[in-house]
Amino acid sequence: MPNNPIPVIAIDGPTASGKGTVAAKVAERLGFHLLDSGALYRLTALQALRRGLELRDEHGIAKLAEHLPARFVGGDIFLNNENVTAAIRAEEVGNMASKIAALPTVRQALYGLQLGFRETPGLVADGRDMGTVIFPGAKLKVFLTASVEARAGRRYKQLIDKGISANMDDLLSDLKERDERDTKRAIAPLVPAADAHLLDTSAMTAAEAVEQVLAWYAHP
Ligand code: DC
């Protein structure tokens, strides 16, 4: 619907740029709905891993995406009745998500599902292609970046805070590999929309980034 009046704020950016935190806080402040599109790729990846599907089984993985029994309840994410909020954040699932995200039929299968999140009074959508492919008519587009070192540092802290052991060198090489795959893929690569506001959060707190996004939204 090119003239859909329900406002969308698209927040795109690389892994661990802080966009998830910023998107959730902006949605809360505005009373908007939230779409964590990465979670849909992660849920599909988790199911594919559990069923032992190989990456070359594009059709099988797309089928999983098409019939994803996903539910978002408050801050929690369910597959059927199983709470998989923590399970989908595992590095192994993130890596698989980045791989299946390069499959065109998987992206196609998740397209309609994502559009369905656009409900009154508005939507904050977080991902890689929110402003370029899924919601090209978004009222505000933000491309959030941070240096790879800052992002690895944040991911390290998140893991340690959760009691999960982490290695900085592994995290750095993992992030670089995932950036490479997300930016170089043929379909819906991670690139800023031509009309996106760029926000480098390397030296910013999440709260400062939230204020900047709200200011852009209030004064286009
Ligand atoms: O944002 P995230 O780390 O949860 O996303 C997991 C993977 O899903 C990421 O490596 C790329 C992919 N992804 C995508 O291709 N398009 C989106 N809109 C969101 C995520």
Side-chain angles (χ1 to χ4, degrees), residues 12 15-16 19 36-39 41-42 89 94 97-98 101 107 114 126-130 155 178 182 185 188:
D12 290 303
T15 288
K19 67 192 155 46
D36 171 2
S37 62
Y41 290 91
R42 287 173 182 268
R89 299 292 154 203
S98 157
R107 302 201 74 85
Q114 294 175 84
D126 136 27
R128 303 291 187 292
D129 61 343
M130 298 296 98
R155 181 56 59 86
R178 216 181 291 181
D182 291 347
R185 70 179 174 224

Side-chain angles (χ1 to χ4, degrees), residues 22 26 29 199 205-217:
V22 172
V26 169
R29 288 274 292 272
L199 186 59
T205 63
E208 287 167 338
V210 169
E211 292 310 323
Q212 178 58 262
V213 173
L214 288 170
W216 278 329
Y217 186 68

Side-chain angles (χ1 to χ4, degrees), residues 23-194:
K25 289 197 173 136
V26 169
E28 195 184 307
R29 288 274 292 272
L30 295 172
F32 279 15
H33 298 276
L34 178 69
L35 165 61
D36 171 2
S37 62
L40 302 178
Y41 290 91
R42 287 173 182 268
L43 286 165
T44 307
L46 179 67
Q47 284 208 311
L49 286 170
R50 284 180 172 179
R51 293 177 190 205
L53 294 190
E54 305 250 359
L55 200 56
R56 58 189 153 78
D57 184 4
E58 179 167 350
H59 180 71
I61 300 174
K63 269 233 133 64
L64 289 178
E66 211 177 311
H67 302 286
L68 207 58
R71 290 190 299 124
F72 293 79
V73 186
D76 283 335
I77 303 173
F78 291 81
L79 261 184
N80 292 311
N81 290 325
E82 183 191 356
N83 189 330
V84 292
T85 316
I88 61 164
R89 299 292 154 203
E91 289 299 302
E92 186 198 6
V93 178
N95 271 324
M96 182 67 168
S98 157
K99 287 177 189 159
I100 65 159
L103 305 173
T105 51
V106 171
R107 302 201 74 85
Q108 189 56 42
L110 292 176
Y111 180 71
L113 185 59
Q114 294 175 84
L115 295 187
F117 280 78
R118 187 176 195 169
E119 288 190 277
T120 48
L123 175 70
V124 180
D126 136 27
R128 303 291 187 292
D129 61 343
M130 298 296 98
T132 50
V133 177
I134 310 294
F135 301 111
K139 194 167 168 207
L140 171 67
K141 299 178 187 177
V142 178
F143 194 84
L144 219 78
T145 54
S147 67
V148 70
E149 291 77 15
R151 291 187 285 129
R154 286 175 194 166
R155 181 56 59 86
Y156 182 83
K157 189 172 176 303
Q158 273 173 0
L159 291 171
I160 298 296
D161 284 350
K162 281 193 220 151
I164 301 169
S165 70
N167 174 294
M168 196 63 181
D169 288 340
D170 289 350
L171 284 174
L172 267 173
S173 67
D174 206 67
L175 278 183
K176 284 180 187 160
E177 197 185 304
R178 216 181 291 181
D179 281 355
E180 172 92 7
R181 206 162 36 225
D182 291 347
T183 48
K184 301 276 164 66
R185 70 179 174 224
I187 179 165
L190 173 67
V191 285

